[in-house]
Amino acid sequence: MVTPSRRREVVTHLRTAYGVSERRACRTVGLSRATQRYRSVADPQDELRLRLRELAAVRVRYGYRRLSLLLRREGDAVNHKRIYRLYREEGLAIRPKLPRRRRSCRYREARPETSGANEVWAMDFMSDALFNGQHFRPLTVLHCHTREALAVVPRTSFRAFDVVDVLDGLARERGAPGSIRCDNGPEFAGRLLERWAYFQGVELDFSRPGKLTDNAVIESFNASVRRELLNASWFLSLADVRERTEAWRREYNEERPHSSLGDLAPRVFINEAGAARRLA
């Protein structure tokens, strides 16, 4: 069945291509002239569309149902069917299964550069083993602007509530960030972490599947952890891992020069930036 909107397009094409009158074009396609001339007076929902795009840009694997829930949490009493219509019109739909050997079907905007303290954190998991083959997983948390290693926490296993405990401790110590960049792992994409982020006013900025460059800062930091700590150490126990990891983290923050900071250590960079702000 041909919809009225499609027939209006055909009428417009006939008038443009063949120079016929509106009356004749409408008679040809079987469309009422009143329908052809009708212009909607409904609210275009510009603010809702903009907010929907903003949420979809940072939650790249959320469908319209989850986005509808987030909008209702913000106080927008909108029907999920309206959100679905806007979701489709704005071109935000994603495939449930990504194609192989092709580019990711996601196309949302790239992340902006960070410019302020406590604006963006990044976190990720690594994996290593003790001398006897027992595996453990370090959780790494990095300040994207100052490159300060906020936490490197090794455990034999991590669940969502363990991640929340680490982030909650950091937030109490230094304040919650504006957003946290992470991948779509089960420890990060669960409802427990999402609930914590909602009440803390933190946005979870998920990477696109298979796009390591979406979180390049933490990937570079993890490479340093692997090269300078994990590959260079022979761990006897989990307590040994924690002790060496914390010593390396302090050295990284206080002494190790960082090329992106003008060869300054993160702590020195923070102190100099604070002094410059006080003098300004």
Side-chain angles (χ1 to χ4, degrees), residues 22-215:
E22 180 185 80
R23 185 188 302 274
R24 184 174 181 181
C26 288
R27 186 185 303 117
T28 301
V29 300
L31 182 68
S32 168
R33 292 178 66 195
T35 303
Q36 172 65 21
R37 295 183 176 185
Y38 175 77
R39 296 296 179 267
S40 176
V41 295
D43 185 355
Q45 302 287 326
D46 291 335
E47 293 184 3
L48 184 58
R49 290 173 186 269
L50 178 61
R51 184 55 183 155
L52 184 62
R53 290 190 65 86
E54 290 175 351
L55 291 174
V58 298
R59 293 169 172 84
V60 296
R61 295 302 299 171
Y62 276 22
Y64 80 95
R65 293 185 184 275
R66 282 194 172 183
L67 294 176
S68 301
L69 177 61
L70 295 180
L71 288 170
R72 284 197 292 270
R73 284 180 178 178
E74 295 179 356
D76 292 321
V78 290
N79 188 282
H80 72 277
K81 290 182 286 187
R82 176 181 298 179
I83 297 299
Y84 177 73
R85 176 174 59 82
L86 300 179
Y87 182 83
R88 298 287 297 187
E89 291 177 0
E90 293 297 316
L92 300 176
I94 55 178
R95 300 180 186 178
K97 185 176 181 181
L98 298 178
R100 292 185 178 181
R101 296 185 300 277
R102 295 183 182 180
R103 293 184 60 186
S104 172
C105 63
R106 250 357 268 148
Y107 46 82
R108 296 170 183 170
E109 297 97 2
R111 290 159 166 166
E113 292 293 330
T114 60
S115 58
N118 229 32
E119 181 181 333
V120 180
W121 294 358
M123 63 180 177
D124 197 10
F125 280 111
M126 303 182 67
S127 180
D128 204 59
L130 303 178
F131 78 101
N132 58 1
Q134 180 183 358
H135 287 274
F136 64 89
R137 303 180 69 196
L139 170 65
T140 57
V141 185
L142 187 74
H143 193 298
C144 290
H145 179 61
T146 65
R147 300 300 197 270
E148 181 183 7
L150 303 179
V152 182
V153 182
R155 292 176 59 95
T156 54
S157 63
F158 266 97
R159 294 189 178 182
F161 62 83
D162 297 315
V163 177
V164 170
D165 284 343
V166 174
L167 295 177
D168 200 44
L170 292 173
R172 286 196 302 268
E173 177 184 344
R174 59 195 303 128
S179 67
I180 300 178
R181 297 177 181 176
C182 56
D183 59 29
N184 289 271
E187 301 88 351
F188 298 150
R191 294 182 179 179
L192 187 62
L193 181 58
E194 182 181 337
R195 187 180 303 115
W196 175 86
Y198 173 74
F199 286 110
Q200 292 287 337
V202 177
E203 288 187 344
L204 296 178
D205 189 355
F206 292 105
S207 301
R208 294 169 294 177
K211 292 290 185 179
L212 299 180
T213 53
D214 282 352
N215 208 353

